[in-house]
Amino acid sequence: MTGIGEFPEYHSPKEFIMELKDTVERMLSSDYSERLRAEYDQASIRLEKLTKFLDKYEDDPKSVILDCPVDMLYKTKFYLELYRSALQDHLVYEGI
């Protein structure tokens, strides 16, 4: 078992290659632990994509098209990081 703030062994770096569509079956599972892991994976996927987009924006602001103010995206990233951290703590607490 890992401590609070550490990734459970279940979450290897390879898993961050998956796409949201790959989590659908687990989100529909009757098993709570599978749904919680899938939710964590979804948050990780979203955070990774948003981070890459913001990195691209920082490198060259003219290379991306913004549909909203960039500050809103940074705020979303901040709260998504907090949400994913809370899910991670929940996974550790539950021993999943």
Side-chain angles (χ1 to χ4, degrees), residues 73-88:
L73 296 175
Y74 281 106
K75 186 176 183 179
T76 300
K77 181 183 176 193
F78 175 79
Y79 285 108
L80 191 50
E81 288 170 335
L82 287 177
Y83 178 60
R84 188 180 73 163
S85 178
L87 288 171
Q88 179 181 327

Side-chain angles (χ1 to χ4, degrees), residues 11 32 42 44 70 75 86:
H11 300 286
Y32 167 75
Q42 287 180 354
S44 296
V70 72
K75 186 176 183 179

Side-chain angles (χ1 to χ4, degrees), residues 20 38-48 80 83-84 87:
L20 287 174
E39 190 170 350
Y40 176 87
D41 289 340
Q42 287 180 354
S44 296
I45 292 165
R46 288 184 172 103
L47 182 57
E48 180 182 9
L80 191 50
Y83 178 60
R84 188 180 73 163
L87 288 171

Side-chain angles (χ1 to χ4, degrees), residues 49-96:
K49 288 183 178 189
L50 180 55
T51 299
K52 284 181 181 179
F53 181 83
L54 289 171
D55 288 347
K56 186 176 178 181
Y57 174 81
E58 287 177 10
D59 289 343
D60 182 11
K62 294 181 181 181
S63 69
V64 299
I65 297 172
L66 296 175
D67 293 333
C68 64
V70 72
D71 291 345
M72 189 178 295
L73 296 175
Y74 281 106
K75 186 176 183 179
T76 300
K77 181 183 176 193
F78 175 79
Y79 285 108
L80 191 50
E81 288 170 335
L82 287 177
Y83 178 60
R84 188 180 73 163
S85 178
L87 288 171
Q88 179 181 327
D89 289 347
H90 197 145
L91 285 165
V92 170
Y93 179 80
E94 295 280 341
I96 299 174

